[in-house]
Amino acid sequence: MSYVDEVIAQVIEKNPSQPEFHQAVKEVLDSLRLVIEQNEDAYRKDALLERLVTPERQLIFRVPWVDDKGQVQVNTGYRVQFNSAIGPYKGGIRLHPSVNLGIIKFLGFEQVFKNSLTGLPIGGGKGGSDFDPKGKSDREVMAFCQSFMTELSKYIGADTDVPAGDIGTGAREIGYMFGQYKRLQNRYEGVLTGKGLSYGGSLARTEATGYGLLYLVEEMMKCHGEEMTGKTVVVSGAGNVAIYAIQKAQQMGAKVVTCSDSTGWIYDPEGIDVDLLKEVKEVRRARLTEYAAARESAVYTQGRGVWAIPCDIALPCATQNELLIDDAKQLVAGGCKAVAEGANMPTTLDATAYLQENGVLFVPGKASNAGGVATSALEMTQNSERLSWSFEEVDSKLQNIMINIYHNIDNAAKKYGKEGNYVVGANIAGFEKVVSAMNAQGIV
Ligand code: NDP
């Protein structure tokens, strides 16, 4: 059996009931076969792949808090510190009822390669809890965040591990967590990113993932002789990534006709009204039915369905495994030319293969959504310098980073004879840097 197959089999055996983690490891290792086969003996002797797929540290802890009725609630907290070969662990905190160890491990594993691709000195980690901020009062969210940070604060720090936002963790949650960290540690340091502007946050961090996604897509389209103006774009999600992806796509002259949330989706042939979407989702924290109620051109449908709308570009920006094989078939039938992932692993393996086989340009999230973590790293730099850069300065650095990522993954794919296969390109480009740092640091 090849070394890659051996390690995939071991991961499945040693990490039962963690299908998302198996899926992420399989996707990465499968696409690295070419590189690994060239060094198989050395890598096997050093157990390089076993070390790469095993987190350096995994923390699981109790998070007790008191709800507004005086009832004690207990959630589970996680932090997986996956790989620190190229810098302090960096990755978001996901607050969602679906969170479990396998999901945090898949996200942490992906983060290692994504962070490497940014070209910045950040290792990979991820955290979260099965706590659901939806429907909770501000006081309940604060009680949870303070309890979560009381435990987590023992293991993180500006030079050790710097968490950030993710699904369910926005500015409010980061604020409560930062306040509790500062109180416990008596240190005012850049221990979290995604902070508010009045206490060390970076301009353009809120927009970074969505904007970065479009900067990369624009560069890719340009390199394939296409421009964004006049393109029809289909987006899923209605959260942080989706909102700013829609905004930037529209600034570039494209028309975005869909968005979705966990209960339904909007088709708006006039183009999504971003200000209204922000009002509904960011201010009122309401369902998309309220968007449809306020806009005549919009049609709301319960359930899922955005991928059935004919488009030039599709941007899945909600969550993992939301673009399935039948969706991929609909996209191809509808004339879609490019799919770039705003979310982490939104496309299943068979859907990815189908898109690639049918000539759709496909960019995996670890490359196309890396703008968020890249700007988080820029926030860390500003915190260390005790300076704040202007919006334009951060945005222009972000744009350069995304353009570089595109060319890095494109070149890596070409180098190994897989031109246009950005999954292979992203995994190889991310892997090479991490492995070189791991080798230099000995068996640790
Ligand atoms: P948000 O919580 O702001 O938004 C998530 C959106 O996806 C919401 O519209 C939500 O619907 C929808 N959603 C969540 N879970 C499901 C589900 N199970 N089924 C259908 N829809 C769902 O998160 P973000 O926008 O920050 O993150 C979106 C994705 O992007 C995630 O995969 C995240 O890991 C990834 N990402 C985020 C980055 C960032 O900087 N924020 C950086 C890189 C990646 P509802 O409104 O109903 O909750």
Side-chain angles (χ1 to χ4, degrees), residues 66-72 139-140:
V66 182
D67 72 15
D68 285 347
K69 296 190 187 102
Q71 173 66 48
V72 175
R139 195 210 58 81
E140 288 176 323

Side-chain angles (χ1 to χ4, degrees), residues 198-249:
S198 57
Y199 63 98
S202 173
L203 285 162
R205 174 60 189 93
T206 307
E207 295 83 355
T209 308
Y211 277 23
L213 173 66
L214 268 296
Y215 292 144
L216 184 141
V217 169
E218 185 183 43
E219 184 68 10
M220 176 173 74
M221 297 304 275
K222 205 167 85 188
C223 293
H224 287 84
E226 302 259 5
E227 53 180 32
M228 293 301 294
T229 315
K231 293 282 181 296
T232 300
V233 180
V234 159
V235 169
S236 66
N240 172 266
V241 180
I243 286 174
Y244 293 97
I246 295 170
Q247 186 171 71
K248 184 50 77 179

Side-chain angles (χ1 to χ4, degrees), residues 47 123 183 195 202-203 234 269 289 308 336 357 442:
R183 188 176 189 202
K195 299 187 291 298
S202 173
L203 285 162
V234 159
T289 39
C336 178
E357 281 155 16

Side-chain angles (χ1 to χ4, degrees), residues 401-420:
I401 289 168
M402 297 313 295
I403 290 173
N404 282 339
I405 290 177
Y406 171 70
H407 290 288
N408 280 346
I409 64 174
D410 188 41
N411 290 337
K414 284 178 182 152
K415 184 171 143 193
Y416 286 90
K418 295 274 184 183
E419 181 163 356

Side-chain angles (χ1 to χ4, degrees), residues 139-382:
R139 195 210 58 81
E140 288 176 323
V141 171
M142 182 173 74
F144 168 82
C145 289
Q146 290 182 339
S147 180
F148 181 79
M149 184 49 85
T150 300
E151 186 60 24
L152 187 67
S153 64
K154 299 168 189 165
Y155 308 100
I156 61 175
D159 294 315
T160 313
D161 183 357
V162 184
D166 190 67
I167 291 179
T169 307
R172 174 181 60 172
E173 290 76 15
I174 292 287
Y176 293 146
M177 288 182 197
F178 181 77
Q180 183 73 352
Y181 178 86
K182 183 168 60 71
R183 188 176 189 202
L184 290 167
Q185 300 290 325
N186 199 24
R187 287 178 69 83
Y188 203 109
E189 60 175 18
V191 66
L192 289 161
T193 58
K195 299 187 291 298
L197 292 178
S198 57
Y199 63 98
S202 173
L203 285 162
R205 174 60 189 93
T206 307
E207 295 83 355
T209 308
Y211 277 23
L213 173 66
L214 268 296
Y215 292 144
L216 184 141
V217 169
E218 185 183 43
E219 184 68 10
M220 176 173 74
M221 297 304 275
K222 205 167 85 188
C223 293
H224 287 84
E226 302 259 5
E227 53 180 32
M228 293 301 294
T229 315
K231 293 282 181 296
T232 300
V233 180
V234 159
V235 169
S236 66
N240 172 266
V241 180
I243 286 174
Y244 293 97
I246 295 170
Q247 186 171 71
K248 184 50 77 179
Q250 291 182 342
Q251 285 171 8
M252 289 174 170
K255 187 195 264 191
V256 182
V257 293
T258 65
C259 63
S260 65
D261 67 12
S262 45
T263 51
W265 60 286
I266 293 285
Y267 174 53
D268 191 342
E270 298 291 309
I272 298 290
D273 178 340
V274 181
D275 291 335
L276 175 60
L277 185 61
K278 280 188 190 175
E279 165 67 24
V280 171
K281 281 292 168 184
E282 291 183 343
V283 182
R284 286 191 247 157
R285 293 176 191 267
R287 314 288 351 154
L288 284 175
T289 39
E290 294 202 17
Y291 176 97
R295 189 153 159 97
E296 215 173 303
S297 55
V299 181
Y300 175 83
T301 311
Q302 249 188 347
R304 41 198 308 284
V306 297
W307 315 121
I309 302 295
C311 65
D312 300 300
I313 298 168
L315 306 174
C317 297
T319 192
Q320 66 271 5
N321 293 333
E322 51 154 327
L323 200 165
L324 314 176
I325 180 73
D326 289 341
D327 305 320
K329 287 180 181 166
Q330 284 188 312
L331 284 172
V332 169
C336 178
K337 300 182 186 73
V339 174
E341 297 182 327
N344 286 315
M345 211 170 72
T347 318
T348 56
L349 294 176
D350 52 353
T352 303
Y354 185 85
L355 293 169
Q356 290 177 320
E357 281 155 16
N358 284 279
V360 177
L361 301 169
F362 177 85
V363 191
K366 64 172 73 72
S368 48
N369 70 30
V373 74
T375 308
S376 280
L378 300 178
E379 182 174 330
M380 289 163 71
T381 308
Q382 293 170 77

